[in-house]
């Protein structure tokens, strides 16, 4: 008798559970990001205004600002050096909510008025030519002096010093700093800022004129920078 009572109660409870499950909407499907979506958190923090850079100009509705930093690679952790490249810090500004498709290929650099402008180089090529001025190699152990002749005089060691090998963890840290400071690419919300690189191994003091040329989705313009 008790069994039949439990059976009678169980039928409506089960029916109620099925109704609740039927009325509960399934969780929304997560839409995967588009394949060409640009990764976030890259580049330098944009300065407060375009006027905070060395020079400014306009390309359509976008304001282009830039500053020449010579062979110095400015990062959030300090300045690195490169002998074979020169660096320009770029800032791109627009109206609230404005977006721009950014590419390093939109920029070229004309030095000393030469006809052929330099193409920008990916940061991956620059990484192998970076030095940290604050890193110092460990002091090699002192060599014990032994007399090699009968007179007891030390002739001295004229052999060249051993090559300096930068530890892999130091190289990796420098590479990450350059990568994070490089100008972000892809469809981006403005403002955006970062570094672009051009191959030039000469001395900065030999530069008489520097012209950064932009030719991209926003239009075409040029900026004259100071060495």
């Amino acid at each position: 008798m008790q069994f039949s009572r439990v059976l009678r109660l169980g039928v409506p409870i089960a029916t109620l559970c099925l109704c609740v499950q039927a009325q509960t909407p399934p969780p929304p499907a997560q839409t995967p990001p588009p394949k060409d979506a640009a990764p976030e958190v890259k580049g330098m923090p944009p300065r407060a205004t375009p006027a905070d850079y060395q020079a400014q100009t306009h390309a359509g509705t976008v304001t282009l600002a830039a500053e020449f930093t010579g062979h110095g690679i400015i990062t959030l952790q300090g300045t690195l050096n490169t002998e074979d490249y020169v660096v320009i810090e770029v800032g791109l500004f627009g109206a609230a909510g404005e977006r721009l498709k950014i590419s390093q290929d939109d920029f070229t650099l004309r030095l000393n008025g030469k006809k052929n402008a330099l193409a920008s180089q990916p940061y991956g090529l620059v990484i192998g030519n970076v030095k940290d001025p604050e890193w110092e190699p460990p002091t090699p152990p002192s060599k014990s002096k032994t007399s090699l002749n009968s007179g007891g005089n030390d002739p001295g060691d004229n052999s060249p010093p051993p090559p300096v090998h930068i530890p892999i963890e130091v190289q990796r840290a420098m590479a990450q700093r350059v990568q994070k400071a490089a100008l972000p690419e892809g469809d981006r919300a403005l403002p955006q800022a970062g570094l672009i690189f051009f191959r030039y191994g000469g001395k900065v003091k030999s530069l008489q004129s520097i012209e950064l040329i932009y030719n991209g989705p926003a239009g075409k313009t040029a900026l004259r920078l100071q060495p």
Side-chain angles (χ1 to χ4, degrees), residues 4 8 16 19 23 45 54 87 102 109-110 117 121 124 133 135-136 141 156 163 172 175 182 185 188 205 207 219 222:
S4 60
R8 289 196 301 270
L16 179 61
C19 294
Q23 295 176 2
Q54 192 179 79
V87 187
I102 303 173
L109 190 68
R110 180 173 287 114
Q121 302 295 320
W135 181 80
E136 296 182 358
R172 186 182 297 113
E185 295 189 289
R188 299 276 179 171
K205 64 181 181 182
L207 298 176

Side-chain angles (χ1 to χ4, degrees), residues 21-170:
Q21 291 179 356
Q23 295 176 2
T24 302
Q30 295 183 355
T31 303
K35 295 182 179 180
D36 57 349
E40 300 298 330
V41 193
K42 278 193 64 178
M44 300 288 292
R47 302 185 187 183
T49 68
D52 294 323
Y53 293 82
Q54 192 179 79
Q56 312 83 31
T57 190
H58 296 278
T61 60
V62 174
T63 300
L64 171 65
E67 186 158 326
F68 181 72
T69 64
H71 291 297
I73 303 175
I74 300 175
T75 73
L76 298 179
Q77 295 79 20
T79 302
L80 303 173
N81 294 331
T82 171
E83 296 178 354
D84 295 339
Y85 296 86
V86 289
V87 187
I88 294 179
E89 183 180 354
V90 173
L92 296 161
F93 297 81
E98 186 170 1
R99 302 183 68 91
L100 179 67
K101 189 174 183 180
I102 303 173
S103 173
Q104 63 168 23
D105 297 332
D106 298 336
F107 297 91
T108 54
L109 190 68
R110 180 173 287 114
L111 300 177
N112 292 337
K114 292 185 177 180
K115 182 178 179 180
N116 295 327
L118 301 175
S120 63
Q121 302 295 320
Y123 68 84
L125 295 179
V126 183
I127 287 174
N129 190 247
V130 174
K131 296 180 180 179
D132 186 349
E134 296 185 359
W135 181 80
E136 296 182 358
T139 304
S142 59
K143 297 181 180 180
S144 60
K145 297 182 179 180
T146 57
S147 175
L148 300 180
N149 55 22
S150 58
N153 296 325
D154 183 8
D157 187 359
N158 295 323
S159 60
V164 176
H165 297 286
I166 302 178
I168 187 64
E169 61 271 14
V170 177

Side-chain angles (χ1 to χ4, degrees), residues 179-196:
Q179 179 183 9
K180 291 180 179 180
L183 180 67
E185 295 189 289
D187 185 17
R188 299 276 179 171
L190 300 182
Q192 293 289 334
L195 307 180
I196 48 179

